[in-house]
Amino acid sequence: MKDRFTIGEIAKLHNLSVKTLRYYDEIGLFKPAEIDPNNNYRYYSTEQFEHLNTINYLRSLGVPLKDIKKQFEERHSDDFLELLKRHQEEIAQRISELQQIHKRVNNRINEIDLAKQSNYIHQPFIRHYEDQHILQLNHDIQSQTDLELSLRKIENTSHLTPSIFIGSVGVTLPIDRIKQMKYNAYNSVFLVIDDNQITNDLKTKLPAGRYVCLYCQDARIHSPTYYEWLFQYIEKHQLTITGDAIERTIIDQYMTNNPEEYLSEIQIPIL
C-alpha cells in the first residue's frame, strides 16, 4: 500500500490547496515527513493524516493557526480542552454580535418597506413610537461638515463601527428655530442604537409617545413647506408640541440614483 504522497496528492485528498500546505510547512504547523534532497519535493505519509485532520477540524471551528500550532507543540489534553472552551466563548460573542447585526438589518428593512409602502407621502399623520435608545451629541450643527465631524465623535467615544450609522442618523431642530425660519440650525445629532448593553455618557432615548410625522420625497429636509403642513395639521387637530422636531434620512443618493425615490421623515412629539 502506498505510504508516500506528494504535496499535490495530499492537497487533493484533504481538499486543501498546495499553497496552504506550503504555508503550514513554513510556519512549522505541518511539515512533510520527507524532503527529497535532489529536487526538494515534499512527501507525506499516512501517519500524518490524523495530524492534518485535527488541523482541519480546529480550523473549521475558527481556531487561529497560532493556537493550533501551540497545541501541537505542547500536546496536553487539559490545554486542548481549555483551547476549545476559550474558543466557545469567542463563538458566543460572535453570535451575540451577529444577532445585533441581524436585528439592525431587519429594523432597517422594515423601516424602508414601511416608508416605501406608505400612503402618507407629503401628508401628516400620527404614529406611536416606543422608546428609542440613541447616542446623542448636543451642540449646534449648521453644515454637512459639522454633521460628519459630530458622527466621528460619537463613533470614537462609543467605539462603534461606521456600519452601524447607515440609516440610523438623525438630527433635532428646536421648534422656536423653525418659527424663526432657521431651518438648518440643528441643536443635536443622534444615532439610533439597537444594543441596550451599550453604555456611554451620550446614551439617552427618544421617549415613547405620539408623533406627528411626515414623509418627504427629498434626500434632506430643505423646504419650509413641510413644516408649514405639519403646523397646520397640529393646529387643526388642537395638538400640543412637546419637544424638538426630529429629521431622519431614509433613502438618499447612496441608495438610489433616482431622485423620485429619495425619502426623509420629520417627526414632532405631541400630546
Side-chain angles (χ1 to χ4, degrees):
M1 182 178 292
K2 181 177 179 179
D3 191 32
R4 195 166 182 258
F5 300 86
T6 66
I7 192 170
E9 290 172 328
I10 287 292
K12 187 174 182 179
L13 283 169
H14 291 270
N15 196 28
L16 295 169
S17 69
V18 169
K19 182 179 179 180
T20 295
L21 288 169
R22 285 176 175 159
Y23 181 66
Y24 287 176
D25 183 8
E26 179 184 330
I27 66 175
L29 176 62
F30 183 69
K31 303 187 76 66
E34 176 188 344
I35 297 180
D36 191 318
N38 297 316
N39 53 27
N40 288 324
Y41 284 0
R42 297 170 172 86
Y43 293 100
Y44 301 82
S45 72
T46 52
E47 292 181 356
Q48 295 180 282
F49 281 20
E50 192 58 33
H51 184 168
L52 192 53
N53 287 340
T54 304
I55 292 174
N56 291 339
Y57 165 70
L58 292 173
R59 287 298 290 150
S60 71
L61 297 180
V63 178
L65 288 177
K66 63 180 179 62
D67 291 339
I68 299 175
K69 184 173 183 292
K70 182 179 179 182
Q71 170 59 32
F72 278 114
E73 290 171 348
E74 300 179 356
R75 299 196 186 220
H76 295 301
S77 60
D78 288 345
D79 290 339
F80 190 81
L81 181 60
E82 183 60 31
L83 172 65
L84 293 180
K85 287 182 176 180
R86 187 168 63 249
H87 190 60
Q88 183 184 49
E89 293 176 359
E90 294 172 356
I91 291 172
Q93 177 62 33
R94 290 208 298 271
I95 289 174
S96 177
E97 292 171 354
L98 286 172
Q99 288 173 334
Q100 288 299 325
I101 292 172
H102 181 269
K103 181 179 178 181
R104 194 179 308 136
V105 171
N106 187 61
N107 289 344
R108 184 68 169 133
I109 290 171
N110 290 339
E111 178 184 54
I112 294 174
D113 278 343
L114 182 64
K116 287 176 68 69
Q117 297 171 15
S118 175
N119 295 321
Y120 293 101
I121 304 298
H122 293 169
Q123 296 181 44
F125 64 97
I126 294 177
R127 176 182 291 161
H128 182 274
Y129 281 98
E130 298 299 328
D131 286 337
Q132 297 183 76
H133 294 279
I134 62 172
L135 298 177
Q136 186 174 33
L137 189 61
N138 293 296
H139 73 94
D140 287 342
I141 296 170
Q142 301 187 30
S143 68
Q144 187 65 26
T145 299
D146 289 342
L147 177 62
E148 292 299 334
L149 291 176
S150 297
L151 288 176
R152 297 292 76 74
K153 184 171 182 179
I154 294 177
E155 174 188 353
N156 293 332
T157 59
S158 307
H159 307 292
L160 299 175
T161 59
S163 62
I164 196 176
F165 285 37
I166 305 302
S168 301
V169 177
V171 291
T172 57
L173 181 58
I175 299 299
D176 60 346
R177 296 185 186 181
I178 298 172
K179 292 180 177 179
Q180 295 169 20
M181 295 184 289
K182 297 178 179 179
Y183 299 105
N184 295 314
Y186 304 110
N187 65 341
S188 83
V189 59
F190 65 84
L191 175 65
V192 179
I193 55 175
D194 304 309
D195 187 355
N196 293 339
Q197 296 179 348
I198 294 177
T199 56
N200 187 278
D201 291 341
L202 301 179
K203 186 174 180 180
T204 182
K205 64 182 180 180
L206 299 175
R210 294 198 306 161
Y211 291 76
V212 173
C213 305
L214 181 72
Y215 286 128
C216 318
Q217 285 185 307
D218 285 294
R220 300 285 185 274
I221 304 299
H222 66 272
S223 174
T225 302
Y226 299 140
Y227 280 105
E228 292 175 9
W229 292 341
L230 284 165
F231 288 152
Q232 288 171 4
Y233 182 91
I234 290 169
E235 183 177 356
K236 177 180 178 181
H237 292 84
Q238 298 182 334
L239 303 172
T240 301
I241 297 174
T242 60
D244 296 342
I246 297 166
E247 297 181 6
R248 288 188 58 209
T249 297
I250 299 173
I251 301 175
D252 60 15
Q253 66 271 27
Y254 301 107
M255 293 177 57
T256 178
N257 58 11
N258 181 3
E260 293 183 0
E261 293 183 335
Y262 292 167
L263 205 60
S264 294
E265 183 182 15
I266 303 173
Q267 304 168 7
I268 299 179
I270 50 94
L271 286 177

